[in-house]
Amino acid sequence: MVVEEWDALFSDTVSVQMNNGKTYLCSQWADIIEPAGAEPFGWYRSEYYAGKAAITVNKLGSGSVYYIGANFGPDFLVDLFGGILPTLEIEHFPGLPDGVEASVRRSSEARLSVPDQLFNLHADGDT
């Protein structure tokens, strides 16, 4: 994939339609992408680059490389990663409150994750 050009959006937003039909707004910048072998799965819906790729995926070896050519909000990221992580068998914890992180620690003998154990790592002890 090649970034042909980019557009500084300043305070404007541009909508992007995903291959599943959902639409999201992006802001700040927009990379105009020539897929060049990558598979587009999100396209701009307006501006002079309407119909051009905004997001691509390229298969590489046994993995995939995703290029997100714009600044999206958390709703987009939750949907995108929520769709990708299960296909990679990566454990994730949807629905956590804002500011709460979850992680998994593994060794050959044990596995520790939420909701098995919760640790408050906030500096002042607030929860």
Side-chain angles (χ1 to χ4, degrees):
M1 74 103 253
V2 175
V3 176
E4 293 180 336
E5 187 178 351
W6 59 272
D7 184 15
L9 300 176
F10 301 104
S11 62
D12 294 336
T13 58
V14 174
S15 65
V16 172
Q17 183 165 354
M18 304 302 290
N19 61 356
N20 65 4
K22 291 183 90 171
T23 301
Y24 301 90
L25 292 178
C26 65
S27 61
Q28 296 181 338
W29 89 91
D31 288 344
I32 297 98
I33 300 170
E34 171 57 45
E39 178 186 337
F41 68 97
W43 297 264
Y44 295 108
R45 295 186 62 198
S46 60
E47 301 300 323
Y48 65 91
Y49 39 88
K52 292 281 195 169
I55 303 157
T56 61
V57 61
N58 197 359
K59 306 293 183 196
L60 184 63
S62 61
S64 298
V65 178
Y66 291 83
Y67 187 86
I68 302 169
N71 183 41
F72 290 93
D75 57 335
F76 167 80
L77 296 173
V78 166
D79 286 353
L80 177 68
F81 294 127
I84 294 171
L85 293 177
T87 67
L88 302 174
E89 298 179 12
I90 295 174
E91 192 167 1
H92 69 291
F93 307 96
L96 291 174
D98 286 344
V100 174
E101 287 184 31
S103 65
V104 176
R105 303 284 190 240
R106 288 189 176 101
S107 73
S108 59
E109 295 85 34
R111 176 187 161 280
L112 175 67
S113 73
V114 173
D116 300 334
Q117 300 287 323
L118 292 175
F119 299 96
N120 182 6
L121 301 177
H122 198 273
D124 64 9
D126 289 342
T127 54

